[in-house]
Amino acid sequence: MHVVVNAAISADGKLSSRRREQLAISGEDDFDRVDRLRADSDAIVVGVGTVLADDPSLTVKDADRRKRRREGGEPENPARVVVDSKARTPPDAEIVDDAATTYVCVSESAPVDRRMELADRPDTQLVTAGDGRVDLLRAFATLQADGLERIMVEGGGELIFSLFEVGLVDELRAFVGPTVIGGRDAPTLADGEGFVEEFPTLALEGVERIDDGVLLTWRVDEGQ
């Protein structure tokens, strides 16, 4: 399995404002790059906070890319994955429509009625892993057992930190946009509790100017 974290951040490292509303940090050229990355992925992963804030569909937008996936024997869209410990994903959310298979990863503490409601959605599969919180290692092992090898993570900051914490991230791609958001309560690329020792180290693989921003690509140092 190869896990790529992809995010657009402001020049000061924020994913969005303190209101946690979706912001257009990048432009059309970067949107197209993200769509290419989606089309090359087996699954796209987000945390439930992203679902509740943005209601994303996480589908491939370009018709030619969807066609190429079909011609290659793949579904039009990659699978969608929500990490959702308490099963808070709304049953009418875009991410659990019938555009692609959706995995909702929940913990044992998620209310049974909410789990059943989500399981009734078309093409939705529940993955139960962990007690109070989703056990990411177990959940991702289940995804891999289902043949999902190329994993794209689109946020948010709590999930990204947790994936780094358990050593699941192989690559980080960050588009740094030409804006400053500020705010001590605004979400950053990696939130959560934060590291105090044994910080993950990254090896710079590429630098590319896109629009008025820059795309930075790092490989996670396996010797961390």
Side-chain angles (χ1 to χ4, degrees), residues 181-197:
I181 295 174
R184 65 178 61 87
D185 297 323
T188 65
L189 178 67
D191 284 335
E193 294 183 4
F195 296 103
V196 293
E197 57 185 18

Side-chain angles (χ1 to χ4, degrees), residues 38-43 60 65-79 147-150:
R38 285 181 178 179
D40 290 338
S41 300
D42 295 324
V60 176
R65 292 180 185 131
R66 294 197 303 271
K67 179 181 178 182
R68 284 195 292 272
R69 286 180 60 91
R70 289 197 308 271
E71 291 173 344
E74 298 180 295
E76 272 197 357
N77 293 296
L148 305 179
E149 294 285 349
R150 300 166 299 171

Side-chain angles (χ1 to χ4, degrees), residues 71-145:
E71 291 173 344
E74 298 180 295
E76 272 197 357
N77 293 296
R80 288 87 57 93
V81 180
V82 186
V83 177
D84 182 5
S85 295
K86 303 299 182 184
R88 293 188 295 148
T89 299
D92 60 349
E94 291 282 347
I95 204 167
V96 288
D97 63 13
D98 59 0
T101 298
T102 299
Y103 295 80
V104 182
C105 302
V106 301
S107 71
E108 295 284 359
S109 64
V112 174
D113 58 335
R114 293 303 304 265
R115 287 194 248 175
M116 293 177 62
E117 195 171 21
L118 288 169
D120 283 341
R121 297 295 298 158
D123 298 316
T124 298
Q125 299 184 36
L126 286 187
V127 176
T128 304
D131 297 324
R133 296 180 58 189
V134 171
D135 183 323
L136 291 170
L137 291 173
R138 284 173 52 194
F140 273 57
T142 299
L143 301 179
Q144 187 173 28

Side-chain angles (χ1 to χ4, degrees), residues 5-224:
V5 169
N6 181 81
I9 59 176
S10 62
D12 57 329
K14 306 294 186 180
L15 292 174
S16 67
S17 74
R18 59 185 171 83
R19 295 179 177 176
R20 298 182 180 268
E21 298 168 339
Q22 189 174 28
L23 299 176
I25 294 174
S26 60
E28 290 301 323
D29 288 346
D30 190 60
F31 292 159
D32 189 63
R33 176 192 66 84
V34 172
D35 200 56
R36 290 198 308 271
L37 185 55
R38 285 181 178 179
D40 290 338
S41 300
D42 295 324
I44 303 168
V45 184
V46 294
V48 67
T50 297
V51 173
L52 295 174
D54 301 336
D55 194 22
S57 63
L58 302 184
T59 54
V60 176
K61 307 307 180 188
D62 184 80
D64 288 337
R65 292 180 185 131
R66 294 197 303 271
K67 179 181 178 182
R68 284 195 292 272
R69 286 180 60 91
R70 289 197 308 271
E71 291 173 344
E74 298 180 295
E76 272 197 357
N77 293 296
R80 288 87 57 93
V81 180
V82 186
V83 177
D84 182 5
S85 295
K86 303 299 182 184
R88 293 188 295 148
T89 299
D92 60 349
E94 291 282 347
I95 204 167
V96 288
D97 63 13
D98 59 0
T101 298
T102 299
Y103 295 80
V104 182
C105 302
V106 301
S107 71
E108 295 284 359
S109 64
V112 174
D113 58 335
R114 293 303 304 265
R115 287 194 248 175
M116 293 177 62
E117 195 171 21
L118 288 169
D120 283 341
R121 297 295 298 158
D123 298 316
T124 298
Q125 299 184 36
L126 286 187
V127 176
T128 304
D131 297 324
R133 296 180 58 189
V134 171
D135 183 323
L136 291 170
L137 291 173
R138 284 173 52 194
F140 273 57
T142 299
L143 301 179
Q144 187 173 28
D146 274 8
L148 305 179
E149 294 285 349
R150 300 166 299 171
I151 308 297
M152 175 184 181
V153 179
E154 292 200 21
E158 297 277 347
L159 173 61
I160 291 171
F161 170 78
S162 295
L163 290 169
F164 271 108
E165 187 177 33
V166 297
L168 278 170
V169 181
D170 298 293
E171 187 178 343
L172 171 62
R173 301 183 188 184
F175 174 85
V176 183
T179 188
V180 172
I181 295 174
R184 65 178 61 87
D185 297 323
T188 65
L189 178 67
D191 284 335
E193 294 183 4
F195 296 103
V196 293
E197 57 185 18
E198 298 183 4
F199 304 95
T201 56
L202 310 175
L204 186 64
E205 296 276 287
V207 179
E208 178 186 358
R209 178 169 180 167
I210 301 178
D211 300 318
D212 287 327
V214 61
L215 174 67
L216 302 174
T217 301
W218 287 281
R219 170 180 48 79
V220 178
D221 188 348
E222 295 180 358
Q224 63 174 296

